Amino acid sequence: MNVRYRVDLEEGEHAHLAALVAGGHRSVRRVKRAQILLAAADGQPEEAIARTVHVGTSTVYRTKRRFVEESLEAALSEDPRPGGTRKLTGSEE
């Protein structure tokens, strides 16, 4: 993890993330990613962010990388997880 990604939020992005963290019923992973981006924009080091948000440093690194290389929405969302196919359909459950 030698590459350092710098998170520079625009005013609208900062307001969106602050509103996401402030309230409502959201996915915990999405809120934690928003907290990571807000802390990174304030210039906190990755280790401090990881301790504050209770995630690993690799999560902080990946979230910052996705924000810089892709977009805000890509950094907040998650890719589909690999795994086995479903054994039962919704109606069978």
PDB file of all heavy atoms in Angstrom, residues 32 35-36 39 44-61:
ATOM      1  N   LYS A  32     -20.206   3.580   7.267  1.00  0.00           N
ATOM      2  CA  LYS A  32     -18.781   3.515   7.612  1.00  0.00           C
ATOM      3  C   LYS A  32     -17.910   4.031   6.475  1.00  0.00           C
ATOM      4  O   LYS A  32     -16.922   4.723   6.715  1.00  0.00           O
ATOM      5  CB  LYS A  32     -18.382   2.089   7.980  1.00  0.00           C
ATOM      6  CG  LYS A  32     -18.853   1.703   9.360  1.00  0.00           C
ATOM      7  CD  LYS A  32     -18.275   0.394   9.816  1.00  0.00           C
ATOM      8  CE  LYS A  32     -18.766   0.117  11.221  1.00  0.00           C
ATOM      9  NZ  LYS A  32     -17.778  -0.531  12.029  1.00  0.00           N
ATOM     10  N   GLN A  35     -18.053   7.722   6.623  1.00  0.00           N
ATOM     11  CA  GLN A  35     -17.200   8.207   7.711  1.00  0.00           C
ATOM     12  C   GLN A  35     -15.731   8.176   7.306  1.00  0.00           C
ATOM     13  O   GLN A  35     -14.970   9.095   7.627  1.00  0.00           O
ATOM     14  CB  GLN A  35     -17.411   7.362   8.967  1.00  0.00           C
ATOM     15  CG  GLN A  35     -18.754   7.552   9.616  1.00  0.00           C
ATOM     16  CD  GLN A  35     -19.009   6.551  10.738  1.00  0.00           C
ATOM     17  OE1 GLN A  35     -18.471   5.444  10.736  1.00  0.00           O
ATOM     18  NE2 GLN A  35     -19.836   6.949  11.691  1.00  0.00           N
ATOM     19  N   ILE A  36     -15.334   7.124   6.597  1.00  0.00           N
ATOM     20  CA  ILE A  36     -13.948   7.017   6.129  1.00  0.00           C
ATOM     21  C   ILE A  36     -13.614   8.172   5.197  1.00  0.00           C
ATOM     22  O   ILE A  36     -12.576   8.821   5.342  1.00  0.00           O
ATOM     23  CB  ILE A  36     -13.721   5.663   5.420  1.00  0.00           C
ATOM     24  CG1 ILE A  36     -13.746   4.523   6.431  1.00  0.00           C
ATOM     25  CG2 ILE A  36     -12.414   5.666   4.627  1.00  0.00           C
ATOM     26  CD1 ILE A  36     -13.810   3.146   5.821  1.00  0.00           C
ATOM     27  N   ALA A  39     -13.366  11.534   7.101  1.00  0.00           N
ATOM     28  CA  ALA A  39     -12.136  11.616   7.891  1.00  0.00           C
ATOM     29  C   ALA A  39     -10.922  11.778   6.981  1.00  0.00           C
ATOM     30  O   ALA A  39      -9.995  12.533   7.298  1.00  0.00           O
ATOM     31  CB  ALA A  39     -11.989  10.373   8.765  1.00  0.00           C
ATOM     32  N   GLN A  44      -6.845  12.977   8.091  1.00  0.00           N
ATOM     33  CA  GLN A  44      -6.435  12.017   9.109  1.00  0.00           C
ATOM     34  C   GLN A  44      -5.685  10.860   8.456  1.00  0.00           C
ATOM     35  O   GLN A  44      -6.011  10.445   7.345  1.00  0.00           O
ATOM     36  CB  GLN A  44      -7.650  11.483   9.863  1.00  0.00           C
ATOM     37  CG  GLN A  44      -8.365  12.522  10.687  1.00  0.00           C
ATOM     38  CD  GLN A  44      -9.526  11.914  11.452  1.00  0.00           C
ATOM     39  OE1 GLN A  44      -9.602  10.713  11.644  1.00  0.00           O
ATOM     40  NE2 GLN A  44     -10.442  12.756  11.878  1.00  0.00           N
ATOM     41  N   PRO A  45      -4.691  10.294   9.145  1.00  0.00           N
ATOM     42  CA  PRO A  45      -3.973   9.140   8.585  1.00  0.00           C
ATOM     43  C   PRO A  45      -4.848   7.890   8.579  1.00  0.00           C
ATOM     44  O   PRO A  45      -5.804   7.779   9.352  1.00  0.00           O
ATOM     45  CB  PRO A  45      -2.772   8.977   9.520  1.00  0.00           C
ATOM     46  CG  PRO A  45      -3.122   9.709  10.755  1.00  0.00           C
ATOM     47  CD  PRO A  45      -4.128  10.759  10.401  1.00  0.00           C
ATOM     48  N   GLU A  46      -4.503   6.945   7.712  1.00  0.00           N
ATOM     49  CA  GLU A  46      -5.304   5.732   7.553  1.00  0.00           C
ATOM     50  C   GLU A  46      -5.453   4.938   8.846  1.00  0.00           C
ATOM     51  O   GLU A  46      -6.513   4.407   9.136  1.00  0.00           O
ATOM     52  CB  GLU A  46      -4.701   4.846   6.459  1.00  0.00           C
ATOM     53  CG  GLU A  46      -4.866   5.409   5.077  1.00  0.00           C
ATOM     54  CD  GLU A  46      -4.305   4.514   3.997  1.00  0.00           C
ATOM     55  OE1 GLU A  46      -3.818   3.407   4.312  1.00  0.00           O
ATOM     56  OE2 GLU A  46      -4.362   4.920   2.835  1.00  0.00           O
ATOM     57  N   GLU A  47      -4.392   4.853   9.631  1.00  0.00           N
ATOM     58  CA  GLU A  47      -4.448   4.079  10.874  1.00  0.00           C
ATOM     59  C   GLU A  47      -5.429   4.695  11.871  1.00  0.00           C
ATOM     60  O   GLU A  47      -6.180   3.991  12.542  1.00  0.00           O
ATOM     61  CB  GLU A  47      -3.057   3.977  11.517  1.00  0.00           C
ATOM     62  CG  GLU A  47      -2.057   3.180  10.701  1.00  0.00           C
ATOM     63  CD  GLU A  47      -1.443   3.975   9.547  1.00  0.00           C
ATOM     64  OE1 GLU A  47      -1.548   5.234   9.547  1.00  0.00           O
ATOM     65  OE2 GLU A  47      -0.898   3.341   8.634  1.00  0.00           O
ATOM     66  N   ALA A  48      -5.431   6.012  11.959  1.00  0.00           N
ATOM     67  CA  ALA A  48      -6.353   6.698  12.873  1.00  0.00           C
ATOM     68  C   ALA A  48      -7.803   6.529  12.413  1.00  0.00           C
ATOM     69  O   ALA A  48      -8.701   6.327  13.235  1.00  0.00           O
ATOM     70  CB  ALA A  48      -5.997   8.183  12.959  1.00  0.00           C
ATOM     71  N   ILE A  49      -8.022   6.597  11.109  1.00  0.00           N
ATOM     72  CA  ILE A  49      -9.370   6.405  10.572  1.00  0.00           C
ATOM     73  C   ILE A  49      -9.844   4.993  10.878  1.00  0.00           C
ATOM     74  O   ILE A  49     -10.979   4.785  11.312  1.00  0.00           O
ATOM     75  CB  ILE A  49      -9.400   6.664   9.051  1.00  0.00           C
ATOM     76  CG1 ILE A  49      -9.056   8.122   8.736  1.00  0.00           C
ATOM     77  CG2 ILE A  49     -10.760   6.312   8.468  1.00  0.00           C
ATOM     78  CD1 ILE A  49      -8.832   8.400   7.266  1.00  0.00           C
ATOM     79  N   ALA A  50      -8.977   4.016  10.670  1.00  0.00           N
ATOM     80  CA  ALA A  50      -9.337   2.618  10.907  1.00  0.00           C
ATOM     81  C   ALA A  50      -9.721   2.392  12.365  1.00  0.00           C
ATOM     82  O   ALA A  50     -10.698   1.689  12.656  1.00  0.00           O
ATOM     83  CB  ALA A  50      -8.179   1.706  10.508  1.00  0.00           C
ATOM     84  N   ARG A  51      -8.974   2.988  13.288  1.00  0.00           N
ATOM     85  CA  ARG A  51      -9.301   2.842  14.714  1.00  0.00           C
ATOM     86  C   ARG A  51     -10.619   3.525  15.051  1.00  0.00           C
ATOM     87  O   ARG A  51     -11.436   2.988  15.787  1.00  0.00           O
ATOM     88  CB  ARG A  51      -8.181   3.435  15.578  1.00  0.00           C
ATOM     89  CG  ARG A  51      -7.041   2.498  15.840  1.00  0.00           C
ATOM     90  CD  ARG A  51      -6.140   3.012  16.953  1.00  0.00           C
ATOM     91  NE  ARG A  51      -5.755   4.417  16.801  1.00  0.00           N
ATOM     92  CZ  ARG A  51      -4.716   4.846  16.079  1.00  0.00           C
ATOM     93  NH1 ARG A  51      -3.971   3.970  15.429  1.00  0.00           N
ATOM     94  NH2 ARG A  51      -4.419   6.116  16.007  1.00  0.00           N
ATOM     95  N   THR A  52     -10.852   4.700  14.517  1.00  0.00           N
ATOM     96  CA  THR A  52     -12.057   5.468  14.825  1.00  0.00           C
ATOM     97  C   THR A  52     -13.316   4.792  14.279  1.00  0.00           C
ATOM     98  O   THR A  52     -14.326   4.702  14.973  1.00  0.00           O
ATOM     99  CB  THR A  52     -11.948   6.883  14.227  1.00  0.00           C
ATOM    100  OG1 THR A  52     -10.773   7.505  14.733  1.00  0.00           O
ATOM    101  CG2 THR A  52     -13.153   7.725  14.579  1.00  0.00           C
ATOM    102  N   VAL A  53     -13.242   4.304  13.059  1.00  0.00           N
ATOM    103  CA  VAL A  53     -14.415   3.736  12.401  1.00  0.00           C
ATOM    104  C   VAL A  53     -14.558   2.236  12.702  1.00  0.00           C
ATOM    105  O   VAL A  53     -15.576   1.643  12.388  1.00  0.00           O
ATOM    106  CB  VAL A  53     -14.348   4.003  10.878  1.00  0.00           C
ATOM    107  CG1 VAL A  53     -15.567   3.486  10.148  1.00  0.00           C
ATOM    108  CG2 VAL A  53     -14.216   5.491  10.610  1.00  0.00           C
ATOM    109  N   HIS A  54     -13.536   1.654  13.313  1.00  0.00           N
ATOM    110  CA  HIS A  54     -13.519   0.222  13.657  1.00  0.00           C
ATOM    111  C   HIS A  54     -13.545  -0.662  12.410  1.00  0.00           C
ATOM    112  O   HIS A  54     -14.381  -1.561  12.280  1.00  0.00           O
ATOM    113  CB  HIS A  54     -14.680  -0.148  14.590  1.00  0.00           C
ATOM    114  CG  HIS A  54     -14.674   0.622  15.866  1.00  0.00           C
ATOM    115  ND1 HIS A  54     -13.737   0.424  16.853  1.00  0.00           N
ATOM    116  CD2 HIS A  54     -15.474   1.609  16.309  1.00  0.00           C
ATOM    117  CE1 HIS A  54     -13.968   1.245  17.847  1.00  0.00           C
ATOM    118  NE2 HIS A  54     -15.019   1.987  17.542  1.00  0.00           N
ATOM    119  N   VAL A  55     -12.632  -0.367  11.492  1.00  0.00           N
ATOM    120  CA  VAL A  55     -12.436  -1.183  10.303  1.00  0.00           C
ATOM    121  C   VAL A  55     -10.940  -1.407  10.142  1.00  0.00           C
ATOM    122  O   VAL A  55     -10.125  -0.799  10.839  1.00  0.00           O
ATOM    123  CB  VAL A  55     -13.007  -0.517   9.023  1.00  0.00           C
ATOM    124  CG1 VAL A  55     -14.505  -0.369   9.089  1.00  0.00           C
ATOM    125  CG2 VAL A  55     -12.351   0.825   8.764  1.00  0.00           C
ATOM    126  N   GLY A  56     -10.572  -2.244   9.204  1.00  0.00           N
ATOM    127  CA  GLY A  56      -9.158  -2.479   8.928  1.00  0.00           C
ATOM    128  C   GLY A  56      -8.573  -1.383   8.057  1.00  0.00           C
ATOM    129  O   GLY A  56      -9.298  -0.673   7.346  1.00  0.00           O
ATOM    130  N   THR A  57      -7.261  -1.270   8.088  1.00  0.00           N
ATOM    131  CA  THR A  57      -6.604  -0.253   7.265  1.00  0.00           C
ATOM    132  C   THR A  57      -6.788  -0.550   5.780  1.00  0.00           C
ATOM    133  O   THR A  57      -6.830   0.372   4.974  1.00  0.00           O
ATOM    134  CB  THR A  57      -5.106  -0.147   7.581  1.00  0.00           C
ATOM    135  OG1 THR A  57      -4.510  -1.444   7.472  1.00  0.00           O
ATOM    136  CG2 THR A  57      -4.871   0.423   8.964  1.00  0.00           C
ATOM    137  N   SER A  58      -6.932  -1.827   5.413  1.00  0.00           N
ATOM    138  CA  SER A  58      -7.146  -2.153   4.001  1.00  0.00           C
ATOM    139  C   SER A  58      -8.512  -1.650   3.528  1.00  0.00           C
ATOM    140  O   SER A  58      -8.661  -1.250   2.369  1.00  0.00           O
ATOM    141  CB  SER A  58      -7.015  -3.653   3.759  1.00  0.00           C
ATOM    142  OG  SER A  58      -7.947  -4.356   4.524  1.00  0.00           O
ATOM    143  N   THR A  59      -9.504  -1.640   4.417  1.00  0.00           N
ATOM    144  CA  THR A  59     -10.820  -1.100   4.060  1.00  0.00           C
ATOM    145  C   THR A  59     -10.727   0.395   3.797  1.00  0.00           C
ATOM    146  O   THR A  59     -11.321   0.916   2.847  1.00  0.00           O
ATOM    147  CB  THR A  59     -11.842  -1.380   5.176  1.00  0.00           C
ATOM    148  OG1 THR A  59     -11.909  -2.784   5.392  1.00  0.00           O
ATOM    149  CG2 THR A  59     -13.215  -0.840   4.819  1.00  0.00           C
ATOM    150  N   VAL A  60      -9.967   1.084   4.624  1.00  0.00           N
ATOM    151  CA  VAL A  60      -9.768   2.521   4.429  1.00  0.00           C
ATOM    152  C   VAL A  60      -9.070   2.767   3.097  1.00  0.00           C
ATOM    153  O   VAL A  60      -9.483   3.615   2.296  1.00  0.00           O
ATOM    154  CB  VAL A  60      -8.947   3.124   5.595  1.00  0.00           C
ATOM    155  CG1 VAL A  60      -8.633   4.584   5.342  1.00  0.00           C
ATOM    156  CG2 VAL A  60      -9.678   2.952   6.912  1.00  0.00           C
ATOM    157  N   TYR A  61      -8.028   2.001   2.839  1.00  0.00           N
ATOM    158  CA  TYR A  61      -7.270   2.153   1.600  1.00  0.00           C
ATOM    159  C   TYR A  61      -8.151   1.897   0.375  1.00  0.00           C
ATOM    160  O   TYR A  61      -8.143   2.671  -0.585  1.00  0.00           O
ATOM    161  CB  TYR A  61      -6.079   1.180   1.620  1.00  0.00           C
ATOM    162  CG  TYR A  61      -5.280   1.170   0.345  1.00  0.00           C
ATOM    163  CD1 TYR A  61      -4.335   2.159   0.096  1.00  0.00           C
ATOM    164  CD2 TYR A  61      -5.473   0.184  -0.610  1.00  0.00           C
ATOM    165  CE1 TYR A  61      -3.593   2.151  -1.071  1.00  0.00           C
ATOM    166  CE2 TYR A  61      -4.745   0.181  -1.780  1.00  0.00           C
ATOM    167  CZ  TYR A  61      -3.804   1.156  -2.004  1.00  0.00           C
ATOM    168  OH  TYR A  61      -3.081   1.158  -3.161  1.00  0.00           O
TER     169      TYR A  61
END
